[in-house]
Amino acid sequence: MERSLFYKDVVPFAAMVAAECATVGSNTGFKAATARGISYYVFTLYVCVVAAAALIPFAVIFHKSPELPPNRISFFFKIVCLSALGLSCQLLGNKGLEYSSPTLSSAISNLIPAFTFIMAVFFRMEKIDLKRSSSIVKIVGSTVSIAGALVVVLYKGPIMISNPYSRGPKELGLLYQNSPLGSSHPQPNWIMGGLCFVFQYLCNSFWYILQTQIIKIYPDEVSVVAVYYVIQAVLTAPICLIAETDMSAWKLTNPLSFLLIFNSGLMGQSFVAAIHTWGLNLKGPVYVSSFRPLSIAIAAAMGALLLGDDLHLGSIIGAIIISIGFYGILWGKAKEEESKELDGVCGLESSSKAPLLQYYRVEDA
């Protein structure tokens, strides 16, 4: 009993926390790498290649060998669509990080539950009953989350927590030291960065829904994620090679840049995708997305320590509003699950009583 509780609750909890740390670490690494002169497209392609190369051996070793679905063409097309969504998330997320910061990315990432709920209703995976308080709370929570995202994007505000490690300009952060910052590096643009993140997490919500459907058809998480990254690398290569024509940009001369790319590919992409896919199969999308608010604190700490970022009032206010809406969605979902369990218990009781009543009617007759 205790071992079952450990694997069903403790292990998933620890895995999701680790995934959030890896995601924020990957975002921080990208920000630091591009600040050192690495091309946006070079970083994106190399990370996809590293993720695919890291997952292929695990897919071979831990392959579960379930039967492929009858309609293999349709199944393969879904994985291609999933890879295209993942590529869109990565391109939009990296561009947003160029414009802003990992802290802003983590704050807006709490939109995922609201977007996922709206899409689930659209695809008839969720039902809305306006007579139930749980449905009303989920609708209000989604609206509040979107309003909070608008606050984060449109209002930066004054600095509330200043980076204690920088004594001057932002470039004095630990990973920014000796960075060749120049005119080629985009200047911070809070609104453009925020909009990139909004569209990134919209695609991310589609990703959750499609991935959940794929895992139900073919329950081999590691193999699905490995194939997903191989296809994503194939899709990414022509885009990035056409966009980045400077061949010298593809040479990694700095060991730290190589380590940042390796970390993002291994931990920020392959590890996180595998953990989230496993979590979607085990606990569902609501549980996986419930750890998003944790990333705000992690991003703020990493941004201050490694990048010299400051925490602004707009990010704090917006993150609080988004979190309130997010937990409203969670509360509504929990209430729905409780009502389903109660309905199931009542159904069992009524079915168990029915034969007894019939027995007495027969005896009376």
Side-chain angles (χ1 to χ4, degrees):
M1 184 68 179
E2 290 181 359
R3 180 173 293 182
S4 176
L5 181 67
F6 177 78
Y7 284 111
K8 287 183 178 180
D9 294 322
V10 178
V11 172
F13 178 86
M16 294 304 152
V17 172
E20 289 304 315
C21 292
T23 299
V24 176
S26 175
N27 291 343
T28 306
F30 170 82
K31 188 71 175 179
T34 52
R36 289 179 165 273
I38 295 181
S39 167
Y40 159 81
Y41 298 103
V42 170
F43 188 93
T44 302
L45 178 56
Y46 280 167
V47 163
C48 288
V49 172
V50 170
L55 281 166
I56 289 173
F58 288 98
V60 173
I61 295 170
F62 299 105
H63 181 57
K64 296 179 181 178
S65 300
E67 291 185 4
L68 287 171
N71 195 342
R72 298 183 181 183
I73 296 176
S74 175
F75 177 71
F76 181 74
F77 179 73
K78 287 182 179 179
I79 297 182
V80 172
C81 291
L82 190 73
S83 301
L85 282 172
L87 174 58
S88 300
C89 289
Q90 193 168 349
L91 290 173
L92 287 167
N94 288 348
K95 183 57 69 174
L97 288 168
E98 271 194 334
Y99 282 128
S100 55
S101 72
T103 305
L104 181 65
S105 173
S106 297
I108 298 180
S109 70
N110 293 292
L111 275 176
I112 289 178
F115 283 154
T116 304
F117 169 68
I118 293 170
M119 290 177 193
V121 171
F122 180 78
F123 288 107
R124 297 181 180 180
M125 297 172 68
E126 287 275 348
K127 294 181 180 179
I128 293 180
D129 185 358
L130 296 178
K131 295 179 181 179
R132 289 177 176 268
S133 60
S134 57
S135 292
I136 295 173
V137 170
K138 286 196 295 184
I139 294 171
V140 173
S142 300
T143 306
V144 170
S145 293
I146 294 171
L150 290 175
V151 171
V152 174
V153 171
L154 299 177
Y155 176 65
K156 189 173 184 179
I159 296 173
M160 299 303 295
I161 301 177
S162 182
N163 171 33
Y165 294 94
S166 65
R167 299 179 181 177
K170 181 180 179 179
E171 287 77 22
L172 291 179
L174 297 182
L175 287 180
Y176 270 111
Q177 291 177 357
N178 302 319
S179 301
L181 294 173
S183 59
S184 62
H185 188 265
Q187 295 300 315
N189 188 325
W190 212 250
I191 294 178
M192 285 301 297
L195 289 175
C196 286
F197 292 138
V198 169
F199 285 109
Q200 175 197 3
Y201 295 123
L202 184 63
C203 293
N204 207 162
S205 298
F206 272 115
W207 192 93
Y208 277 148
I209 291 174
L210 184 57
Q211 181 72 313
T212 302
Q213 294 177 347
I214 289 173
I215 290 300
K216 286 181 179 178
I217 298 172
Y218 190 75
D220 186 349
E221 295 90 342
V222 179
S223 297
V224 168
V225 175
V227 174
Y228 155 76
Y229 269 114
V230 170
I231 297 173
Q232 184 173 321
V234 172
L235 295 175
T236 307
I239 296 173
C240 293
L241 289 171
I242 292 171
E244 183 55 72
T245 56
D246 183 8
M247 291 297 103
S248 62
W250 294 93
K251 298 178 182 178
L252 299 179
T253 57
N254 192 326
L256 180 58
S257 299
F258 175 80
L259 289 175
L260 292 172
I261 289 174
F262 185 78
N263 174 71
S264 293
L266 186 63
M267 300 300 296
Q269 294 296 319
S270 57
F271 173 75
V272 171
I275 291 297
H276 281 174
T277 302
W278 171 70
L280 288 170
N281 190 30
L282 182 67
K283 293 284 191 176
V286 174
Y287 182 86
V288 173
S289 60
S290 67
F291 289 84
R292 284 293 177 174
L294 180 64
S295 65
I296 301 173
I298 300 170
M302 284 190 179
L305 177 63
L306 302 176
L307 300 178
D309 282 344
D310 299 313
L311 188 60
H312 293 264
L313 179 62
S315 296
I316 297 174
I317 295 174
I320 292 172
I321 295 173
I322 292 173
S323 298
I324 291 171
F326 164 71
Y327 284 113
I329 297 171
L330 279 186
W331 183 88
K333 192 69 177 175
K335 282 293 181 182
E336 282 186 355
E337 291 177 357
E338 286 181 10
S339 64
K340 286 179 182 178
E341 290 178 0
L342 288 174
D343 292 342
V345 171
C346 293
L348 287 173
E349 289 180 353
S350 62
S351 62
S352 62
K353 290 178 181 178
L356 197 60
L357 291 173
Q358 292 173 3
Y359 170 78
Y360 281 122
R361 285 173 185 171
V362 172
E363 288 294 317
D364 291 342

